[in-house]
Amino acid sequence: MNSILKFVCGTLFNVLMGVVLASLVGVTPAIGAVAGAVVPAVLGNFMPAGAAFEGVYTEVWTGELIKRLNAGLKADWLNGIPDYSAKVDNEVIHLVDVGGDPDVLVNNTTYPIPIQDLTERDVPVGLDKFQTKATRVTDDQLYALSFDKYSADVERHGNAILTVKYKKAAHALAPYSHTDKTPVVATSGAADESGRKKLTVKDIIALKRAYDNMEVPEDGRVLVLCPDHVNDLLEADQSFKDKYYNYTSGKLLNMFGFEVYTYVNCPYYTKAGVKVPYNATPSATDLKGSFSFYRPRMFKAQGSTKMYYSEARTNPTTQESLVNFRHHYIVLPKKLEAFGAIYSWDGATAQSKDQAVPAEKRWAQVRREAAAAAANAAADNPGPDDPNNELEA
């Protein structure tokens, strides 16, 4: 009976792990479930020996999990962005910047027609690397807990990566500051109790006008509103809510040519309208902003996903298993154009425009620099002479 229970628990764990991994890499969960059931059967059991939960201390645990609230696990606004995952090689993707289009002659009568050269250049883009810290599961926990801790931990690793990678994607799709090709609009409504000016419909129309002036096609415009700006619109008036709010789903409807979404982890902007760097801690006066983009001018790419696991039976002193994940992913504009933002203005601070966009290192560059630094360190500090080596004549 115990062996049957072990087999069932192990299979359920492998199936769940396959579903989680499939979700991370964008594969149909059903495929992951089948792989989770079939692959371990071929390669051998994945669960540690004796991990079948016999001797559970049921008087201590109910088995009900109270999980962390992760509001940023979904990012529907990424749907439809060109996916270049198939082009990823060694966690790097190469784009081609084709430059400008050829000039068009209208009613030309002069021959020969002038020759114009079109230029292209390679743009290598390294994917970001997302890693979770290793977490432990001891054999004592396996016998003392009335739930599948392995499955719960794997799910938590997957959710943590999804939350962070979508948050970074939102940050990447928001412009650093206002330029002619990346409009950043300040809110213009009445000030709330904190002094923040509320978002109005006119502000969204101002963003639409900026896209129109850039001659961005209407089909494919996306607007992602932060929570503050969604609430501003809902508080505006009942007629707006009746026209643009779906009472069943609780979501805003498309408006003014934008596909409208909401997202809790939108990037922060300073009161001068400059985006706060992703790794920087927002100040007390920095507020989340809404962002927008023209979908065909953006891209996303997904690289490899790998699970690292060590079994408790290989750690005799601690008798604990360790698990963590590594995942590669990127979302970026193809060029610094056709994306914009709306930030909460304080009504007094002058907006900073045309600011130089700070360079951001990605994993491929960090990896190369680390290798070069290690090589330089080895050259500067050579090891002791090996007496077994023959001297050169």
Side-chain angles (χ1 to χ4, degrees), residues 164-181:
V164 173
K165 82 173 192 177
Y166 291 153
K167 181 180 179 180
K168 197 166 191 310
H171 188 273
L173 294 180
Y176 184 66
S177 69
H178 177 85
T179 69
D180 291 339
K181 295 185 178 181

Side-chain angles (χ1 to χ4, degrees), residues 23-354:
S23 300
L24 277 175
V25 300
V27 178
T28 305
I31 297 176
V34 173
V38 174
V39 173
V42 176
L43 299 180
N45 291 330
F46 189 71
M47 291 284 284
F53 312 123
E54 58 267 344
V56 170
Y57 302 148
T58 55
E59 71 275 17
V60 178
W61 301 97
T62 65
E64 180 67 26
L65 301 184
I66 303 175
K67 299 180 180 179
R68 178 179 180 270
L69 291 176
N70 284 327
L73 286 177
K74 292 188 64 178
D76 294 338
W77 37 273
L78 288 172
N79 295 341
I81 290 180
D83 191 338
Y84 298 154
S85 299
K87 304 296 184 181
V88 174
D89 182 21
N90 198 25
E91 315 307 346
V92 175
I93 185 171
H94 290 262
L95 303 180
V96 178
D97 183 0
V98 296
D101 296 326
D103 296 333
V104 177
L105 305 177
V106 180
N107 298 328
N108 174 65
T109 59
T110 302
Y111 296 90
I113 294 176
I115 297 174
Q116 179 180 2
D117 292 326
L118 297 180
T119 60
E120 300 86 19
R121 67 184 182 92
D122 175 58
V123 182
V125 179
L127 276 61
D128 283 320
K129 180 180 69 170
F130 301 88
Q131 287 174 291
T132 55
K133 291 184 178 180
T135 56
R136 61 172 56 89
V137 180
T138 68
D139 277 356
D140 288 342
Q141 289 175 322
L142 289 178
Y143 290 112
L145 301 180
S146 62
F147 66 91
D148 188 348
K149 181 167 173 59
Y150 272 114
S151 299
D153 281 9
V154 168
E155 180 183 6
R156 290 162 70 185
H157 279 265
N159 288 347
I161 289 178
L162 289 175
T163 300
V164 173
K165 82 173 192 177
Y166 291 153
K167 181 180 179 180
K168 197 166 191 310
H171 188 273
L173 294 180
Y176 184 66
S177 69
H178 177 85
T179 69
D180 291 339
K181 295 185 178 181
T182 61
V184 177
V185 176
T187 54
S188 62
D192 64 9
E193 59 277 4
S194 68
R196 177 189 68 88
K197 284 188 169 292
K198 296 183 178 181
L199 176 73
T200 67
V201 172
K202 290 183 179 179
D203 301 328
I204 299 178
I205 294 175
L207 184 63
K208 175 187 181 301
R209 182 176 291 110
Y211 275 73
D212 294 339
N213 292 338
M214 291 188 294
E215 298 184 352
V216 175
E218 293 184 356
D219 187 17
R221 297 182 186 180
V222 176
L223 174 62
V224 184
L225 295 172
C226 69
D228 280 341
H229 293 169
V230 171
N231 294 332
D232 291 342
L233 292 175
L234 295 180
E235 292 173 354
D237 58 72
Q238 187 63 41
S239 61
F240 173 86
K241 201 184 311 186
D242 291 341
K243 187 175 182 180
Y244 294 107
Y245 182 70
N246 187 319
Y247 287 88
T248 301
S249 65
K251 296 181 179 180
L252 290 174
L253 303 178
N254 298 341
M255 64 181 81
F256 310 127
F258 288 105
E259 294 180 29
V260 181
Y261 299 87
T262 61
Y263 187 59
V264 297
N265 289 327
C266 287
Y268 282 85
Y269 277 83
T270 69
K271 57 185 180 181
V274 178
K275 184 174 65 173
V276 177
Y278 179 79
N279 292 325
T281 301
S283 69
T285 59
D286 297 334
L287 296 171
K288 289 181 179 178
S290 301
F291 62 98
S292 65
F293 54 90
Y294 176 55
R295 185 180 284 129
R297 287 296 177 94
M298 311 297 122
F299 80 96
K300 60 184 178 183
Q302 188 159 271
S304 63
T305 300
K306 189 172 182 180
M307 177 180 179
Y308 296 84
Y309 176 76
S310 65
E311 293 189 77
R313 63 184 177 186
T314 64
N315 297 294
T317 58
T318 60
Q319 298 178 3
E320 63 186 15
S321 300
L322 297 176
V323 62
N324 71 335
F325 286 82
R326 181 169 64 181
H327 177 65
H328 295 87
Y329 186 74
I330 196 70
V331 175
L332 282 176
K334 296 175 183 176
K335 297 182 69 174
L336 295 180
E337 62 182 20
F339 63 119
I342 303 176
Y343 77 99
S344 294
W345 188 40
D346 64 359
T349 305
Q351 184 177 4
S352 297
K353 301 180 179 180
D354 299 309

